[in-house]
Amino acid sequence: MNKLILIALVASMFMDVNAQSTEVSSGLYAWDKLMIKQGTQRVGRKLMEGSSPHFEFLEMHATTQEKGAKSAAPHAQKNLEEVIIVKEGTMKFTMDSESVVLGPGSAILIPPLAMQSLENIGNGPLTYYVMMFRSKKGKDMDRSKNAGGPLLIDADLLKYISNEKGGRINYFNRPTAMCENFEMHVTQLNTKGPSHAPHTHIDSEIILVINGQVELSIDEMTYTGSDGDLFLIKSNEMHGIKNIGEGPCKYFAWRWRQ
Protein backbone atom coordinates (compact mmCIF):
# COMPACT_ATOMS: atom_id res chain seq x y z
CA MET A 1 0.00 0.00 0.00
CA ASN A 2 2.81 2.43 0.91
CA LYS A 3 4.48 1.76 -2.44
CA LEU A 4 1.27 2.53 -4.30
CA ILE A 5 0.82 5.76 -2.36
CA LEU A 6 4.39 6.80 -3.16
CA ILE A 7 3.88 6.11 -6.88
CA ALA A 8 0.65 8.15 -6.84
CA LEU A 9 2.34 11.09 -5.10
CA VAL A 10 5.23 11.09 -7.57
CA ALA A 11 2.81 10.95 -10.49
CA SER A 12 0.80 13.83 -9.02
CA MET A 13 3.92 15.94 -8.57
CA PHE A 14 4.98 15.20 -12.14
CA MET A 15 1.59 16.28 -13.52
CA ASP A 16 1.61 19.49 -11.46
CA VAL A 17 5.07 20.45 -12.75
CA ASN A 18 4.04 19.78 -16.34
CA ALA A 19 0.79 21.73 -15.90
CA GLN A 20 2.64 24.80 -14.69
CA SER A 21 5.32 24.60 -17.40
CA THR A 22 2.87 24.32 -20.31
CA GLU A 23 2.67 27.62 -22.18
CA VAL A 24 -0.77 29.17 -22.52
CA SER A 25 -2.20 29.38 -26.03
CA SER A 26 -2.74 32.48 -28.10
CA GLY A 27 -6.22 33.03 -29.46
CA LEU A 28 -9.82 33.38 -28.31
CA TYR A 29 -11.15 32.56 -24.85
CA ALA A 30 -14.92 32.74 -25.39
CA TRP A 31 -17.04 33.68 -22.36
CA ASP A 32 -19.87 31.25 -23.17
CA LYS A 33 -17.44 28.32 -23.55
CA LEU A 34 -15.49 28.71 -20.30
CA MET A 35 -15.57 25.87 -17.79
CA ILE A 36 -17.82 26.76 -14.84
CA LYS A 37 -17.22 25.82 -11.21
CA GLN A 38 -20.25 26.33 -8.98
CA GLY A 39 -19.63 27.34 -5.37
CA THR A 40 -21.64 28.75 -2.47
CA GLN A 41 -23.18 31.99 -3.75
CA ARG A 42 -20.49 32.25 -6.42
CA VAL A 43 -19.49 30.89 -9.82
CA GLY A 44 -15.93 30.59 -11.11
CA ARG A 45 -14.82 30.52 -14.74
CA LYS A 46 -11.26 29.46 -15.63
CA LEU A 47 -9.67 31.14 -18.65
CA MET A 48 -6.04 30.04 -18.69
CA GLU A 49 -3.17 28.77 -16.59
CA GLY A 50 0.46 28.06 -17.45
CA SER A 51 3.58 29.93 -18.52
CA SER A 52 4.04 32.62 -21.17
CA PRO A 53 6.94 34.36 -22.96
CA HIS A 54 7.42 36.75 -20.01
CA PHE A 55 5.87 34.87 -17.08
CA GLU A 56 6.81 31.58 -15.48
CA PHE A 57 3.23 31.53 -14.20
CA LEU A 58 0.11 33.17 -15.65
CA GLU A 59 -3.44 32.44 -14.53
CA MET A 60 -6.73 34.13 -15.40
CA HIS A 61 -10.21 33.47 -14.13
CA ALA A 62 -13.53 35.24 -13.69
CA THR A 63 -15.69 35.11 -10.57
CA THR A 64 -19.35 35.99 -10.10
CA GLN A 65 -20.52 36.61 -6.53
CA GLU A 66 -24.23 36.72 -5.80
CA LYS A 67 -25.74 39.49 -3.69
CA GLY A 68 -24.86 38.92 -0.05
CA ALA A 69 -22.09 36.40 -0.77
CA LYS A 70 -19.70 35.97 2.15
CA SER A 71 -16.34 37.63 1.52
CA ALA A 72 -13.08 35.69 1.68
CA ALA A 73 -10.70 36.53 4.51
CA PRO A 74 -8.10 39.27 3.80
CA HIS A 75 -4.97 37.79 2.27
CA ALA A 76 -1.75 38.66 0.44
CA GLN A 77 0.15 37.00 -2.41
CA LYS A 78 3.82 36.50 -1.62
CA ASN A 79 5.20 36.03 -5.13
CA LEU A 80 2.32 36.93 -7.42
CA GLU A 81 1.11 40.24 -8.82
CA GLU A 82 -2.55 40.66 -9.73
CA VAL A 83 -4.81 42.75 -11.93
CA ILE A 84 -8.58 42.80 -11.33
CA ILE A 85 -11.16 44.25 -13.73
CA VAL A 86 -14.81 44.71 -12.72
CA LYS A 87 -17.18 43.35 -15.38
CA GLU A 88 -20.53 44.05 -13.67
CA GLY A 89 -21.88 45.03 -10.29
CA THR A 90 -20.48 47.05 -7.40
CA MET A 91 -17.32 46.02 -5.54
CA LYS A 92 -15.87 47.27 -2.29
CA PHE A 93 -12.15 46.61 -2.45
CA THR A 94 -9.72 47.05 0.43
CA MET A 95 -5.96 47.05 -0.06
CA ASP A 96 -3.82 47.52 3.02
CA SER A 97 -5.56 50.43 4.79
CA GLU A 98 -7.46 51.91 1.81
CA SER A 99 -11.01 50.98 0.75
CA VAL A 100 -12.82 52.10 -2.42
CA VAL A 101 -16.14 51.35 -4.12
CA LEU A 102 -15.73 50.42 -7.78
CA GLY A 103 -18.16 49.82 -10.64
CA PRO A 104 -17.95 48.26 -14.12
CA GLY A 105 -14.76 49.01 -16.02
CA SER A 106 -12.77 49.79 -12.89
CA ALA A 107 -9.34 48.17 -12.46
CA ILE A 108 -6.98 47.27 -9.62
CA LEU A 109 -3.23 46.58 -9.67
CA ILE A 110 -2.12 44.56 -6.63
CA PRO A 111 1.63 44.16 -5.99
CA PRO A 112 2.96 41.14 -4.10
CA LEU A 113 2.63 41.33 -0.30
CA ALA A 114 -0.29 43.80 -0.39
CA MET A 115 -3.12 42.74 1.94
CA GLN A 116 -6.40 42.59 0.02
CA SER A 117 -10.09 41.76 0.35
CA LEU A 118 -13.24 42.42 -1.67
CA GLU A 119 -16.99 42.14 -1.30
CA ASN A 120 -20.14 42.54 -3.34
CA ILE A 121 -22.03 45.55 -1.96
CA GLY A 122 -24.43 45.97 -4.89
CA ASN A 123 -28.04 44.90 -5.35
CA GLY A 124 -27.18 42.23 -7.93
CA PRO A 125 -24.32 39.95 -9.01
CA LEU A 126 -20.70 41.12 -8.98
CA THR A 127 -18.49 39.72 -11.77
CA TYR A 128 -14.80 40.42 -12.11
CA TYR A 129 -11.75 39.12 -13.98
CA VAL A 130 -8.52 38.25 -12.15
CA MET A 131 -5.09 38.00 -13.77
CA MET A 132 -2.30 36.56 -11.58
CA PHE A 133 1.31 36.43 -12.78
CA ARG A 134 4.91 35.81 -11.73
CA SER A 135 7.85 37.08 -13.78
CA LYS A 136 10.59 34.78 -15.02
CA LYS A 137 13.00 37.36 -13.57
CA GLY A 138 11.33 37.51 -10.16
CA LYS A 139 9.70 40.44 -8.38
CA ASP A 140 11.23 43.88 -7.91
CA MET A 141 9.45 45.59 -5.03
CA ASP A 142 11.63 48.70 -5.23
CA ARG A 143 10.61 49.15 -8.87
CA SER A 144 6.96 48.82 -7.87
CA LYS A 145 7.33 51.33 -5.03
CA ASN A 146 9.18 53.86 -7.19
CA ALA A 147 6.46 53.62 -9.86
CA GLY A 148 3.70 54.32 -7.34
CA GLY A 149 2.83 50.93 -5.84
CA PRO A 150 -0.80 49.69 -5.83
CA LEU A 151 -3.49 51.19 -8.05
CA LEU A 152 -7.24 51.45 -7.38
CA ILE A 153 -8.77 52.91 -10.56
CA ASP A 154 -12.39 54.09 -10.58
CA ALA A 155 -13.58 53.97 -14.20
CA ASP A 156 -16.04 56.82 -13.56
CA LEU A 157 -13.14 59.19 -12.84
CA LEU A 158 -11.19 58.49 -16.05
CA LYS A 159 -11.16 60.81 -19.06
CA TYR A 160 -12.46 59.74 -22.47
CA ILE A 161 -10.20 61.08 -25.24
CA SER A 162 -11.92 61.34 -28.64
CA ASN A 163 -10.14 60.60 -31.90
CA GLU A 164 -11.05 60.14 -35.58
CA LYS A 165 -12.15 56.52 -35.10
CA GLY A 166 -13.87 56.80 -31.71
CA GLY A 167 -11.91 57.29 -28.54
CA ARG A 168 -9.60 55.98 -25.84
CA ILE A 169 -9.44 55.85 -22.04
CA ASN A 170 -5.97 55.56 -20.50
CA TYR A 171 -5.65 53.57 -17.26
CA PHE A 172 -1.91 53.33 -16.53
CA ASN A 173 1.46 52.95 -18.25
CA ARG A 174 4.31 52.18 -15.83
CA PRO A 175 6.63 49.56 -14.35
CA THR A 176 5.30 47.08 -11.78
CA ALA A 177 6.84 44.53 -9.41
CA MET A 178 6.72 41.81 -12.10
CA CYS A 179 6.98 43.84 -15.31
CA GLU A 180 9.45 46.26 -16.80
CA ASN A 181 6.37 47.98 -18.16
CA PHE A 182 2.60 47.36 -17.99
CA GLU A 183 0.12 49.46 -19.96
CA MET A 184 -3.68 49.35 -19.91
CA HIS A 185 -6.31 51.31 -21.83
CA VAL A 186 -9.80 51.05 -23.33
CA THR A 187 -10.45 51.64 -27.04
CA GLN A 188 -13.78 52.48 -28.65
CA LEU A 189 -14.36 52.18 -32.41
CA ASN A 190 -17.52 53.93 -33.55
CA THR A 191 -17.73 52.53 -37.09
CA LYS A 192 -16.73 49.36 -38.92
CA GLY A 193 -13.08 48.95 -39.74
CA PRO A 194 -9.66 48.40 -38.20
CA SER A 195 -8.23 50.15 -35.18
CA HIS A 196 -4.82 50.13 -36.86
CA ALA A 197 -2.77 48.10 -39.33
CA PRO A 198 -1.60 44.61 -38.26
CA HIS A 199 1.67 44.86 -36.35
CA THR A 200 3.97 43.10 -33.88
CA HIS A 201 5.68 44.10 -30.63
CA ILE A 202 7.77 42.42 -27.97
CA ASP A 203 4.99 42.93 -25.41
CA SER A 204 2.40 40.23 -24.82
CA GLU A 205 -1.16 41.58 -24.93
CA ILE A 206 -4.70 40.79 -23.85
CA ILE A 207 -7.84 42.16 -25.51
CA LEU A 208 -11.06 41.98 -23.47
CA VAL A 209 -14.27 42.88 -25.31
CA ILE A 210 -16.62 45.09 -23.29
CA ASN A 211 -19.33 45.43 -25.90
CA GLY A 212 -19.88 45.14 -29.64
CA GLN A 213 -18.39 42.70 -32.13
CA VAL A 214 -14.74 42.49 -33.14
CA GLU A 215 -12.55 40.46 -35.44
CA LEU A 216 -8.98 39.77 -34.35
CA SER A 217 -6.22 38.24 -36.44
CA ILE A 218 -3.20 36.57 -34.82
CA ASP A 219 -0.58 35.39 -37.31
CA GLU A 220 -2.52 33.13 -39.73
CA MET A 221 -5.65 32.76 -37.59
CA THR A 222 -8.77 34.96 -37.47
CA TYR A 223 -11.22 35.05 -34.55
CA THR A 224 -14.48 36.87 -33.80
CA GLY A 225 -15.57 37.95 -30.34
CA SER A 226 -18.23 39.88 -28.46
CA ASP A 227 -19.12 40.95 -24.91
CA GLY A 228 -16.98 39.17 -22.31
CA ASP A 229 -14.70 37.39 -24.78
CA LEU A 230 -10.94 37.62 -24.29
CA PHE A 231 -7.97 37.25 -26.67
CA LEU A 232 -4.33 36.51 -25.80
CA ILE A 233 -1.59 37.69 -28.16
CA LYS A 234 1.89 36.52 -27.24
CA SER A 235 5.16 38.37 -27.79
CA ASN A 236 6.08 39.13 -31.44
CA GLU A 237 2.88 37.67 -32.94
CA MET A 238 1.42 39.63 -35.88
CA HIS A 239 -2.05 40.87 -34.93
CA GLY A 240 -4.76 43.36 -35.78
CA ILE A 241 -8.28 44.14 -34.57
CA LYS A 242 -11.33 45.67 -36.24
CA ASN A 243 -14.97 46.48 -35.52
CA ILE A 244 -17.31 44.22 -37.51
CA GLY A 245 -20.61 45.18 -35.87
CA GLU A 246 -23.29 47.62 -36.96
CA GLY A 247 -22.68 49.80 -33.91
CA PRO A 248 -19.65 50.82 -31.81
CA CYS A 249 -17.36 48.31 -30.16
CA LYS A 250 -15.37 48.81 -26.98
CA TYR A 251 -12.55 46.75 -25.52
CA PHE A 252 -9.79 46.70 -22.92
CA ALA A 253 -6.23 46.27 -24.15
CA TRP A 254 -3.32 45.66 -21.82
CA ARG A 255 0.33 44.94 -22.63
CA TRP A 256 3.33 43.89 -20.60
CA ARG A 257 7.01 43.07 -20.94
CA GLN A 258 10.01 42.31 -18.76
Side-chain angles (χ1 to χ4, degrees):
M1 180 65 71
N2 289 340
K3 185 176 180 180
L4 291 175
I5 293 173
L6 178 60
I7 291 171
L9 287 173
V10 171
S12 176
M13 290 171 63
F14 181 79
M15 287 188 292
D16 288 345
V17 170
N18 278 339
Q20 290 196 13
S21 63
T22 300
E23 189 161 293
V24 293
S25 299
S26 299
L28 168 66
Y29 294 79
W31 179 262
D32 61 1
K33 295 183 179 179
L34 298 177
M35 292 185 62
I36 294 176
K37 183 178 180 180
Q38 189 74 45
T40 304
Q41 292 188 296
R42 67 191 69 226
V43 174
R45 292 175 170 86
K46 189 67 166 287
L47 283 93
M48 65 184 75
E49 181 174 345
S51 62
S52 76
H54 301 105
F55 298 141
E56 68 174 17
F57 179 77
L58 169 62
E59 190 266 356
M60 280 201 71
H61 64 272
T63 297
T64 298
Q65 292 187 8
E66 298 302 324
K67 179 182 177 180
K70 184 177 180 180
S71 303
H75 64 283
Q77 302 285 3
K78 183 178 179 181
N79 291 308
L80 290 172
E81 193 157 50
E82 294 182 70
V83 169
I84 295 177
I85 294 175
V86 182
K87 184 177 188 291
E88 65 172 344
T90 306
M91 172 190 292
K92 180 181 178 182
F93 194 89
T94 301
M95 185 154 37
D96 294 330
S97 60
E98 183 178 2
S99 295
V100 293
V101 175
L102 302 170
S106 298
I108 306 160
L109 172 66
I110 311 166
L113 307 178
M115 190 63 67
Q116 58 170 297
S117 64
L118 66 84
E119 59 182 309
N120 179 5
I121 61 170
N123 293 319
L126 167 67
T127 301
Y128 53 93
Y129 296 88
V130 180
M131 176 183 175
M132 308 170 70
F133 48 97
R134 181 171 58 246
S135 170
K136 291 179 178 179
K137 295 182 179 180
K139 65 185 177 186
D140 186 335
M141 297 305 295
D142 286 338
R143 181 173 65 193
S144 172
K145 181 179 179 181
N146 291 337
L151 288 173
L152 296 159
I153 303 173
D154 185 345
D156 291 339
L157 301 180
L158 298 178
K159 183 180 179 181
Y160 180 81
I161 304 169
S162 298
N163 58 42
E164 67 278 6
K165 293 187 176 182
R168 176 184 173 114
I169 303 171
N170 294 317
Y171 278 63
F172 62 90
N173 186 356
R174 45 160 278 190
T176 75
M178 294 291 179
C179 300
E180 179 183 306
N181 199 73
F182 199 121
E183 185 269 338
M184 177 181 284
H185 67 273
V186 165
T187 291
Q188 180 168 311
L189 301 176
N190 288 338
T191 59
K192 285 185 176 181
S195 174
H196 42 64
H199 61 285
T200 65
H201 42 65
I202 195 171
D203 303 35
S204 294
E205 183 172 8
I206 285 176
I207 302 291
L208 172 60
V209 184
I210 301 171
N211 55 55
Q213 294 180 301
V214 305
E215 181 180 280
L216 185 82
S217 62
I218 305 175
D219 287 340
E220 302 300 319
M221 300 295 293
T222 300
Y223 309 90
T224 59
S226 58
D227 303 19
D229 292 346
L230 181 144
F231 303 90
L232 174 65
I233 305 138
K234 291 193 284 190
S235 177
N236 293 318
E237 292 182 327
M238 181 70 69
H239 61 281
I241 187 170
K242 61 183 177 180
N243 180 11
I244 59 171
E246 295 302 323
C249 73
K250 192 175 182 180
Y251 54 87
F252 268 100
W254 64 93
R255 296 168 43 169
W256 64 89
R257 65 176 183 271
Q258 290 184 331

